[in-house]
Amino acid sequence: MDSDTQPEVTVADLDAAAARLRGVAHRTPVMRSGQLNQRSGARVFLKCENFQRMGAFKFRGAFNALAQIPEARRRAGVLAFSSGNHAQAVALSARLHGAPALILMPHDAPPAKVEATKGYGAEVRVYDRFSTDREALAAEIAAERGMEIIPPFDDARIIAGAGTAAAELLEEMPAPAVVLATLGGGGLLSGTAIAAKARHPACRVIGVEPAEGDDGLRSLRAGEIIRIPPPRGLAEGALATHVGALNFRVMRRLVDDVVTVTDEEIVVAMRFLASRMKLVVEPTGALPVAALLAGKVDVAGSTVGAIISGGNVDLDRFARLIAG
């Protein structure tokens, strides 16, 4: 679906997505840490989507999208492109709906995520993300096979599904002054902003992205979508070249700011979450906590909600990172 022709996503869309996900997605825990409160100077509530099915919030949007495709069209199959979490989410959601899935994954995608995607029954095709336009490749294959493309972020169904994580978080915490969410393509941040501003209009919604992939920050400052060359870094799930058009429309209206964190700050957050909260969190999932620990957002004395977006990290890699 053309992003420019998609309608605005509303709270009603989030409510409808929540109904489709009820009994299918996990209602993940909201956790707190005295040490995190002390170091950030705030009361922090973490929505732990690392405990979601397939290990990340992405399941919410993927399942919501597939649930809205007519069964006859689902039988022809669905196609997605992703470095890992959206790949696994679409693969699992397709299996649950009895639909075939083809996933395009970059050549440098984490092996554990590639294997997990195959394990859910999807066909995986690898491409070089530094030389191949994945959206053009996906469109070509989808046309050949008659498959429906499930975009990773620039889609109303994906945004609505992602927003259910924030909606659940807000039901289990006091009114927040700040809500933080990872920013890659913008699906999670957009859905979070819709949920947060509807329930607490005065709260500040802030996206956190890797310093190496600061296209979201640049775009918000410029008032238009800025595209950057394919970035490199630890948080591969947030290393987008640009935010989605529909997502950016929501961001311009509802997101207050975007901050960035370095790879070193991400590792500090991963180590903190593992040692203090016993949580296995992937680099992308640790972005909001990295921003809090590094003092990138003024939250002193505030109540803060933050979404840990996922925990899909190869354990050998995880051990190397947190060991320093």
Side-chain angles (χ1 to χ4, degrees):
M1 185 182 296
D2 187 341
S3 301
D4 293 332
T5 64
Q6 291 192 67
E8 293 294 338
V9 183
T10 67
V11 175
D13 296 316
L14 270 66
D15 292 341
R20 296 183 190 101
L21 291 165
R22 193 168 296 121
V24 182
H26 298 322
R27 187 174 179 108
T28 53
V30 175
M31 299 182 67
R32 301 188 64 192
S33 162
Q35 282 291 318
L36 180 57
N37 291 348
Q38 183 178 331
R39 291 179 59 173
S40 65
R43 291 191 301 163
V44 182
F45 295 76
L46 300 178
K47 178 65 168 172
C48 296
E49 285 292 287
N50 49 314
F51 292 116
Q52 188 53 261
R53 293 187 74 163
M54 51 68 50
F57 81 97
K58 288 284 190 179
F59 177 73
R60 296 174 181 269
F63 189 90
N64 186 51
L66 265 88
Q68 296 178 73
I69 300 172
E71 186 177 352
R73 283 167 55 195
R74 278 204 306 259
R75 283 199 296 268
V78 294
L79 186 152
F81 42 86
S82 165
S83 65
N85 283 341
H86 181 64
Q88 294 172 75
V90 171
L92 175 56
S93 298
R95 189 180 77 181
L96 293 173
H97 283 96
L102 168 62
I103 312 295
L104 304 179
M105 300 189 74
H107 68 288
D108 56 351
K113 293 187 177 183
V114 175
E115 291 307 309
T117 302
K118 292 178 179 177
Y120 289 126
E123 175 188 352
V124 173
R125 182 177 298 188
V126 177
Y127 69 95
D128 185 338
R129 71 185 181 99
F130 297 107
S131 63
T132 303
D133 182 334
R134 66 181 188 174
E135 295 181 30
L137 178 61
E140 179 183 338
I141 297 172
E144 290 174 359
R145 298 199 185 186
M147 305 178 92
E148 171 126 354
I149 295 175
I150 306 295
F153 48 80
D154 198 10
D155 185 282
R157 302 164 298 181
I158 297 294
I159 294 171
T164 62
E168 291 176 6
L169 168 63
L170 295 168
E171 290 172 1
E172 298 184 33
M173 66 174 292
V178 179
V179 175
L180 301 173
T182 291
L183 171 57
L188 178 60
L189 181 58
S190 298
T192 297
I194 292 166
K197 293 291 189 178
R199 194 177 182 98
H200 303 291
C203 83
R204 299 176 65 223
V205 177
I206 298 175
V208 187
E209 64 184 348
E212 295 81 2
D214 64 347
D215 57 288
L217 173 63
R218 296 191 202 182
S219 298
L220 208 58
R221 296 286 189 273
E224 61 182 4
I225 295 174
I226 301 297
R227 293 174 179 259
I228 62 174
R232 302 174 187 266
L234 286 182
E236 79 282 338
L239 292 174
T241 59
H242 62 282
V243 297
L246 178 58
N247 312 66
F248 189 61
R249 294 212 308 264
V250 176
M251 287 169 57
R252 289 192 69 182
R253 184 164 52 91
L254 299 177
V255 173
D256 295 280
D257 201 3
V258 173
V259 298
T260 66
V261 292
T262 66
D263 280 355
E264 292 76 13
E265 290 164 342
I266 292 170
V267 171
V268 168
M270 293 174 66
R271 187 178 296 121
F272 174 89
L273 290 164
S275 64
R276 294 293 184 175
M277 300 186 70
K278 318 310 172 193
L279 296 176
V280 175
V281 177
E282 63 186 282
T284 302
L287 286 167
V289 175
L292 290 172
L293 293 175
K296 297 298 178 74
V297 184
D298 181 10
V299 295
S302 300
T303 299
V304 178
I307 298 176
I308 294 177
S309 61
N312 290 324
V313 57
D314 176 81
L315 289 181
D316 289 336
R317 183 189 187 214
F318 180 76
R320 288 193 302 271
L321 288 172
I322 67 169

